[in-house]
Structure formats: structure tokens, C-alpha cells
Amino acid sequence: MDWNNLWDWLSRLGIITWVSGLWHRHRKKVAAEKELLEQVPKIKQSVDELTKLVTQLKAGEVEDLHVELDELCHVIIKQGHSTRNQYTRLNQIYEVYHALGGNGLGTKLYEEAKALSTI
């Protein structure tokens, strides 16, 4: 077989252009993947910093909610009952406090205040 004829025939069919396009797209994809892999350590460091910040913010929020819960529970316990607004606020505070991981003394006070009647 004559290679020139084969080359002409393949060129007419566009196979050479098609293969060349495939090769070009493959090289671009490899370069993009390499660039992304080079960024992974920076991304991991950023995620670690954000995780640390979120942990600190969460701990601060739990502490703030505990203080608010403590104050409201003491008011309700001192009154011997809660108003509807106090009862609603008590539940709202506790739900968030508990969801963020706050427990212990806050839960004990919540249960004691919640057990009182609501007027």
C-alpha cells in the first residue's frame, strides 16, 4: 500500500485532525489536573484554618447561649412559672445550645425551668 495515498485518504476523512484534537484536549486536561494538584496543599491549609475558626466560633456561641439560658432559667425558676414568651424563648435558646453541643448544667437548668407551669 502506498503511504501517501493512505495519508491523503485519512486526511480527507478528518481522522488526522480528529486525533490531533483529542491529543490537544488530553494535554490541556493533564495540565489543568497538574495545576489543581499543585493547589491542594494551599486549599487544605485554608480548610484547616477555617475549621479551627469555626470550632472557636462554635465554642464562643455555646458559651453565650449557656449564659443566656442560665439567666432565663433562673428568672423562670425564681418566678415559679414562665410566660409564653419566656417559654418560647427558653426552647429556642436550648434547641440551638443543644444542637451546638452544649449540655450538662444547661440541660439540667432547662429541664427544671421547663417543668414549671406556663401562664
Side-chain angles (χ1 to χ4, degrees):
M1 175 173 249
D2 183 11
W3 290 107
N4 287 332
N5 286 340
L6 178 61
W7 186 260
D8 287 341
W9 182 75
L10 290 175
S11 295
R12 284 188 195 133
L13 288 176
I15 291 175
I16 302 299
T17 304
W18 179 73
V19 169
S20 175
L22 281 177
W23 179 250
H24 179 71
R25 284 190 297 279
H26 172 72
R27 301 271 305 172
K28 280 179 72 173
K29 182 179 176 186
V30 168
E33 287 174 354
K34 182 180 176 187
E35 185 179 330
L36 284 173
L37 286 174
E38 289 171 353
Q39 294 176 12
V40 167
K42 245 173 100 173
I43 293 169
K44 185 181 179 326
Q45 180 183 0
S46 295
V47 168
D48 290 345
E49 289 171 5
L50 286 172
T51 300
K52 183 178 177 181
L53 178 62
V54 166
T55 300
Q56 291 168 341
L57 290 171
K58 180 181 167 186
E61 185 61 23
V62 168
E63 182 60 31
D64 289 346
L65 288 167
H66 178 80
V67 168
E68 192 173 350
L69 182 64
D70 184 61
E71 290 172 355
L72 182 56
C73 286
H74 281 97
V75 167
I76 293 170
I77 292 167
K78 186 177 180 180
Q79 290 174 172
H81 64 276
S82 63
T83 66
R84 287 182 194 258
N85 288 342
Q86 288 171 328
Y87 185 80
T88 300
R89 185 67 186 137
L90 177 68
N91 286 314
Q92 291 170 338
I93 294 169
Y94 184 75
E95 283 179 24
V96 177
Y97 170 77
H98 185 72
L100 289 174
N103 285 313
L105 184 56
T107 299
K108 183 179 176 187
L109 285 169
Y110 167 75
E111 289 172 352
E112 188 177 338
K114 189 172 176 171
L116 298 172
S117 61
T118 302
I119 58 169

